[in-house]
């Protein structure tokens, strides 16, 4: 029992009994056979990355030679036969270009005629060659014999006649012997190696090897340039049977479908004329598969429909190029920049070709939508910042998010309401209704009167459309019915505002029929969309025409394509035949926006910004006049009237110069005076009159 362990267990029963338990020790592990360990080592060596890479490299370079031989053979065959002309003829015929097909047929016929003449010449060339050799040999031998005769006469030895001829024969024999001994084997080996090297070079350049044998970067397509063969192969493998069959039947393997591949910004652009029986929509709806066939991500391929019939335009980005940021906005880099509402264009960003994308805002209502946190407010704000650099432009602003994105417009906007509550919606609704009253006043003015632009801007407008609150008369502030106050005010501005430069700008998110009614979205002249979730939302944002023409904001990547917009507008340069354009907007942060608004404020005399719409209260005309004067030492009487009307349309909307003069004359006849031929209101005199009135009122009360 020396190999076992003995344990003693004492029983706790009343009658103690001691038991022995024998526990055997575990048997020692058996050694792993040598052949098993060798097999594991071999398997590890065979499956190691270095081994696989080396084997793939050896196979690749060997297959390059075979592929190069195949390519060289095909080129030789094309050069010796009329197959090239046949391919081009069938391609033109398949594309429906009968004129080009006839031209290639004629070229092929000329090639066959020339080849026939060469072959006929070969039939007589041996006889001609023999005659030439005989004549040449006769002349040479005669010359040598003549030389021998001269030598024989000189030496008086008749045997010298054949000496030059025999010397020539011996020299030629010696050359043949030297070449055979020295260069025979070497020439064969070197010639074979050079031939193999030439075939390898051809195969390597064309990557003529199976995909599994190619390097990882080539197999993954990273940085792979777009070539005609790659485009045709991508279209062939798209899964459209009619397209695949047509390409197979084309003599040029589909190359005739392609226009020239043009460099376009950070990518390339090519027009593809589809064969008969293939619809453009069949290519459009397979965008992801086409991108993968081109070794690109889906967001790096854009498909649009140009003006030419049965044609799609492909824009393919350089791999990773769209993930790189664009440069800063000219609004930030050029501190001397000003704006011209009527004739200028706002620098908004860059299109996919890398060209500057500038937007005309003249008499155009604007709608920008997209999912949350995609850059909508920054894109909308950059346009407002540019407009602010035109000192004639006026702003009424409502920010129904209320986190300070528009705070820098305090001192620029006549009204700035910020907040997400129902009370803020009521305030914004009354602001827009006040703009409607201003629009009606302008419409009633004398024909030909020029009015400055009034931008009525509502960010997060979906909050207003979804507001459930009713007014005292039972009308909803939100909704999309004829009794919905915000909806009807927006519609009225859409209908008639542009004629008198009263423009509606809206920013919304995640559009639906409820939070963005159909009549409102279709009333905008410029419609832009960031990333969206579905195609139906894209149609709401941009309209059916733009989406049918290739606009696809629903294919932008949320979170990754922030600030990238698809724009449908007559105010931006869109390539001929397209209905939309993709723009990567400049990012202007809050600090830069603050600096731009400071420049805009310096262009103005001073604007008093109202942050709440006062209603149904007793007005103090003199105090209100003092409030709208701002910091300017004097303000034109007509501007005072405008500001009072914006402050409270009900109280001051109908005021004339006579009403203003009456109130000011009662306070101090010297408040209103003429400066440079125009009537102005002196701010210090108004403040003094207001202070004197309050002092007099207090003294009377004390007495």
């Amino acid at each position: 029992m020396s190999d076992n362990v003995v344990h003693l267990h004492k029983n706790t029963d009343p009658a103690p009994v001691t038991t022995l338990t024998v526990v055997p020790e575990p048997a020692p592990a058996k050694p792993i056979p040598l052949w098993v360990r060798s097999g594991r080592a071999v398997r590890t060596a065979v499956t190691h990355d270095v081994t696989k890479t080396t084997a793939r490299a050896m196979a690749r370079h060997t297959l390059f030679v075979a592929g190069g031989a195949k390519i060289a053979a095909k080129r030789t065959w094309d050069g010796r036969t009329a197959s090239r002309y046949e391919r081009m003829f069938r391609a033109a015929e398949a594309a429906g270009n009968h004129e080009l097909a006839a031209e290639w047929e004629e070229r092929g016929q000329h090639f066959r005629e020339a080849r026939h003449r060469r072959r006929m010449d070969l039939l007589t060339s041996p006889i001609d060659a023999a005659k030439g050799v005989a004549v040449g040999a006769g002349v040479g031998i005669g010359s040598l014999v003549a030389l021998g005769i001269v030598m024989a006469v000189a030496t008086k030895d008749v045997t010298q006649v054949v000496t030059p001829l025999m010397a020539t024969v011996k020299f030629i024999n010696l050359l043949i012997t030297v070449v055979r001994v020295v260069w025979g084997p070497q020439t064969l080996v070197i010639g074979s190696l050079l031939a193999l090297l030439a075939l390898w070079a051809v195969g390597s350049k064309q990557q003529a090897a199976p995909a599994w044998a190619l390097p990882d970067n080539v197999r993954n397509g990273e940085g792979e340039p777009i070539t005609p063969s790659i485009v045709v192969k991508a279209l062939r493998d798209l899964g459209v049977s009619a397209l695949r069959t047509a390409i197979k039947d084309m003599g040029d393997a589909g190359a005739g479908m392609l226009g020239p591949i043009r460099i376009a910004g950070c990518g390339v652009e090519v027009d593809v004329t589809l064969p008969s029986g293939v619809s453009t929509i069949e290519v459009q709806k397979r965008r992801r598969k086409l991108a993968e066939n081109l070794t690109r991500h889906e967001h790096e391929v854009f498909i649009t429909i140009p003006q030419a019939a049965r044609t799609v335009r492909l824009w393919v980005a350089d791999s990773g190029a769209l993930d790189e940021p664009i440069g800063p906005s000219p609004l930030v880099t050029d501190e001397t920049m000003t704006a011209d509402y009527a004739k200028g264009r706002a620098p908004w960003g860059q299109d996919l070709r890398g060209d500057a994308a500038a937007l005309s805002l003249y008499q155009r209502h604007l709608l920008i939508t997209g999912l949350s946190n995609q850059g909508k407010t920054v894109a909308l704000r950059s346009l407002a910042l540019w407009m602010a650099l035109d000192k004639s432009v006026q702003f009424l602003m409502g920010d129904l998010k209320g986190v300070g994105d528009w705070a820098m417009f305090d001192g620029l906007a006549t009204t700035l309401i910020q907040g997400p509550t129902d009370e803020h919606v009521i305030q914004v609704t009354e602001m827009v209704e006040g703009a409607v009253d201003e629009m009606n006043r302008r419409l009633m003015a004398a024909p030909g009167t020029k009015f400055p632009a009034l931008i009525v801007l509502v960010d997060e407008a979906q909050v207003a459309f979804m507001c459930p609150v009713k007014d005292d008369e039972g009308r909803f502030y939100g909704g999309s019915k004829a009794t919905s106050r915000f909806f009807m005010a927006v519609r009225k501005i859409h209908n008639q505002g542009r004629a008198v430069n009263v423009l509606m700008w809206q920013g919304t998110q995640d559009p639906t029929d409820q939070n963005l009614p159909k009549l409102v979205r279709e009333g905008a002249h410029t419609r832009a969309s960031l990333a969206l979730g579905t195609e139906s939302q894209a149609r709401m944002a941009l309209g059916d025409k733009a989406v049918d023409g290739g606009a696809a904001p629903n294919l932008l990547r949320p979170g990754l394509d922030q600030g990238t917009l698809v724009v449908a507008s007559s105010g931006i340069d869109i390539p001929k035949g397209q209905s939309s354009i993709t723009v990567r907007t400049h990012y202007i942060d809050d600090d830069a926006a603050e600096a731009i608004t400071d420049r805009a404020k310096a262009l103005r005399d001073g604007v008093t910004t109202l942050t709440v719409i006062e209603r149904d209260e007793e007005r103090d005309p003199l105090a209100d006049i003092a409030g709208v004067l701002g910091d300017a030492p004097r303000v034109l009487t007509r501007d005072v009237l405008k500001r009072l009307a914006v402050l409270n349309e009900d109280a001051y909307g109908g005021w004339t110069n006579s009403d203003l003069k009456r109130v000011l004359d009662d306070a101090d006849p010297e408040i209103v005076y003429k400066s440079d031929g125009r009537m102005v209101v002196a701010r210090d005199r108004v403040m003094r009159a207001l202070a004197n009135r309050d002092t007099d009122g207090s003294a009377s009360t004390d007495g």
Side-chain angles (χ1 to χ4, degrees):
M1 296 180 59
S2 59
D3 294 334
N4 298 322
V5 179
V6 179
H7 297 280
L8 295 177
H9 299 279
K10 187 175 183 179
N11 198 335
T12 58
D13 292 342
V17 178
T18 303
T19 61
L20 291 176
T21 303
V22 179
V23 181
E25 290 185 351
K30 295 181 179 180
I32 300 174
L34 180 61
W35 66 269
V36 174
R37 285 181 290 173
S38 301
R40 290 177 180 175
V42 171
R43 185 178 63 182
T44 301
V46 169
T47 58
H48 196 276
D49 290 341
V50 174
T51 305
K52 291 192 290 186
T53 302
T54 303
R56 196 163 61 232
M58 294 176 62
R60 176 170 65 252
H61 292 290
T62 302
L63 291 169
F64 279 165
V65 176
K70 182 179 178 181
I71 294 172
K74 188 175 184 302
R75 290 176 179 174
T76 303
W77 177 259
D78 286 344
R80 301 285 295 178
T81 67
S83 59
R84 178 186 293 111
Y85 301 95
E86 291 291 338
R87 286 200 306 271
M88 299 305 293
F89 167 75
R90 287 196 295 270
E93 190 176 40
N97 192 339
H98 299 292
E99 182 179 352
L100 184 60
E103 181 180 347
W104 280 111
E105 185 178 22
E106 183 180 357
R107 290 184 181 182
Q109 187 61 34
H110 289 330
F111 173 82
R112 293 186 185 93
E113 292 176 357
R115 184 180 61 185
H116 177 71
R117 286 195 299 270
R118 289 195 301 271
R119 289 176 176 175
M120 295 303 294
D121 291 341
L122 289 176
L123 297 177
T124 59
S125 59
I127 299 175
D128 296 338
K131 291 180 179 179
V133 171
V135 172
V139 172
I141 293 173
S143 300
L144 292 174
V145 171
L147 179 60
I149 293 173
V150 172
M151 292 174 62
V153 172
T155 59
K156 297 180 181 181
D157 184 0
V158 71
T159 60
Q160 295 293 325
V161 173
V162 296
T163 297
L165 183 60
M166 296 306 295
T168 302
V169 172
K170 291 179 180 180
F171 178 73
I172 294 174
N173 187 43
L174 177 63
L175 289 179
I176 294 174
T177 302
V178 171
V179 171
R180 184 188 305 163
V181 173
V182 177
W183 294 102
Q186 292 85 342
T187 303
L188 181 62
V189 173
I190 293 174
S192 300
L193 291 177
L194 290 177
L196 290 175
L197 182 61
L199 294 176
W200 176 88
V202 173
S204 175
K205 185 176 181 181
Q206 299 294 328
Q207 295 293 319
W212 59 265
L214 297 177
D216 291 338
N217 63 328
V218 176
R219 287 186 289 129
N220 295 336
E222 296 177 1
E224 184 177 6
I226 299 300
T227 62
S229 60
I230 289 177
V231 176
V232 172
K233 186 176 182 298
L235 293 169
R236 185 195 66 193
D237 299 338
L238 202 54
V240 182
S241 58
L243 180 58
R244 184 181 184 88
T245 302
I247 292 176
K248 183 178 180 181
D249 292 340
M250 292 180 185
D252 63 347
M257 298 190 306
L258 307 184
I261 297 180
R262 304 176 296 272
I263 296 177
C266 57
V268 296
E269 185 178 73
V270 59
D271 286 351
V272 181
T273 302
L274 301 176
S276 178
V278 181
S279 171
T280 55
I281 192 65
E282 294 182 277
V283 177
Q284 277 187 297
K285 67 183 182 182
R286 290 173 171 83
R287 176 186 175 190
R288 174 176 292 182
K289 189 170 185 179
L290 178 61
E292 292 171 350
N293 291 348
L294 293 168
T295 64
R296 295 294 190 272
H297 297 290
E298 184 178 11
H299 72 278
E300 294 176 328
V301 174
F302 288 82
I303 306 172
T304 55
I305 309 299
Q307 193 171 16
R310 214 171 67 235
T311 302
V312 293
R313 177 168 294 161
L314 307 181
W315 185 86
V316 185
D318 297 336
S319 185
L322 294 184
D323 296 327
E324 299 293 329
I326 64 173
S329 170
L331 292 172
V332 177
T333 58
D334 185 1
E335 296 184 357
T336 63
M337 175 177 283
T338 58
D340 186 339
Y341 158 70
K343 299 179 181 179
R345 288 176 176 248
W348 210 8
Q350 293 179 359
D351 62 17
L352 296 179
R353 295 164 181 80
D355 298 329
L359 180 66
S360 172
L361 301 167
Y362 178 66
Q363 293 189 344
R364 289 179 175 89
H365 302 303
L366 175 67
L367 172 65
I368 299 180
T369 187
L371 297 178
S372 177
N373 196 33
Q374 298 304 308
K376 166 182 55 63
T377 296
V378 172
L380 182 60
R381 189 175 68 183
S382 66
L383 298 178
L385 289 171
W386 180 80
M387 285 284 275
L389 295 176
D390 184 337
K391 63 180 181 181
S392 67
V393 176
Q394 303 168 7
F395 293 97
L396 301 177
M397 290 185 168
D399 175 15
L400 293 177
K401 181 163 50 177
V403 295
D405 290 334
W406 298 89
M408 66 285 300
F409 280 85
D410 190 356
L412 273 178
T414 307
T415 301
L416 177 59
I417 298 169
Q418 302 178 88
T421 67
D422 291 340
E423 178 59 29
H424 291 103
V425 172
I426 294 172
Q427 295 281 328
V428 169
T429 301
E430 294 177 350
M431 178 192 77
V432 178
E433 290 174 338
V436 173
D437 294 336
E438 169 63 14
M439 176 190 72
N440 292 332
R441 185 189 68 80
R442 294 183 178 190
L443 290 170
M444 297 300 293
T449 304
K450 301 293 184 181
F451 297 101
L454 175 62
I455 307 300
V456 186
L457 189 152
V458 180
D459 195 11
E460 306 296 341
Q462 76 279 354
V463 177
F465 286 114
M466 298 299 290
C467 180
V469 177
K470 294 182 180 180
D471 63 10
D472 296 337
E473 299 178 3
R475 295 183 301 166
F476 284 102
Y477 284 94
S480 57
K481 297 182 178 179
T483 56
S484 302
R485 292 182 59 177
F486 183 79
F487 169 76
M488 290 305 298
V490 172
R491 287 292 299 139
K492 289 176 181 177
I493 294 177
H494 278 175
N495 289 339
Q496 296 179 299
R498 65 182 299 271
V500 288
N501 289 325
V502 177
L503 304 177
M504 192 75 210
W505 289 11
Q506 296 176 89
T508 70
Q509 64 174 264
D510 203 8
T512 65
D513 283 328
Q514 289 71 40
N515 65 25
L516 187 59
K518 185 174 187 295
L519 292 177
V520 169
R521 59 183 186 248
E522 291 184 351
H525 303 97
T526 295
R527 300 167 72 172
S529 176
L530 296 114
L532 288 173
T534 64
E535 182 180 322
S536 62
Q537 287 185 315
R539 293 184 181 276
M540 292 181 191
L542 300 176
D544 291 336
K545 180 180 179 182
V547 174
D548 291 339
N554 52 301
L555 297 181
L556 295 174
R557 302 167 298 166
L560 297 177
D561 290 325
Q562 288 182 327
T564 299
L565 288 160
V566 182
V567 185
S569 173
S570 61
I572 194 169
D573 292 334
I574 297 177
K576 188 176 181 181
Q578 295 181 204
S579 55
S580 64
I581 188 172
T582 301
V583 176
R584 303 171 69 198
T585 58
H586 295 294
Y587 177 74
I588 302 177
D589 60 25
D590 291 347
D591 293 338
E594 190 81 35
I596 296 170
T597 53
D598 288 343
R599 285 156 43 197
K601 292 172 186 177
L603 299 175
R604 292 165 167 79
D605 293 333
V607 176
T608 301
T609 299
L610 302 179
T611 58
V612 64
I613 303 294
E614 299 179 0
R615 53 188 185 277
D616 298 330
E617 61 182 353
E618 192 71 25
R619 308 299 309 184
D620 182 347
L622 187 60
D624 287 342
I625 292 171
V628 301
L629 289 177
D631 297 330
R634 57 183 179 274
V635 180
L636 295 174
T637 54
R638 65 180 185 182
D639 290 340
V640 175
L641 288 172
K642 292 178 183 178
R643 296 178 185 181
L644 288 172
V646 172
L647 176 64
N648 191 299
E649 177 66 24
D650 294 335
Y652 303 117
W655 269 34
T656 64
N657 285 323
S658 299
D659 297 320
L660 178 64
K661 192 173 186 305
R662 172 178 51 78
V663 172
L664 295 177
D665 284 348
D666 289 343
D668 184 351
E670 296 182 354
I671 291 178
V672 180
Y673 66 97
K674 184 175 290 188
S675 174
D676 295 330
R678 295 186 294 179
M679 300 302 294
V680 298
V681 177
R683 179 181 179 277
D684 58 342
R685 297 176 186 177
V686 172
M687 302 305 294
R688 185 168 60 248
L690 187 61
N692 292 338
R693 186 195 67 177
D694 294 341
T695 302
D696 294 342
S698 300
S700 300
T701 303
D702 293 340

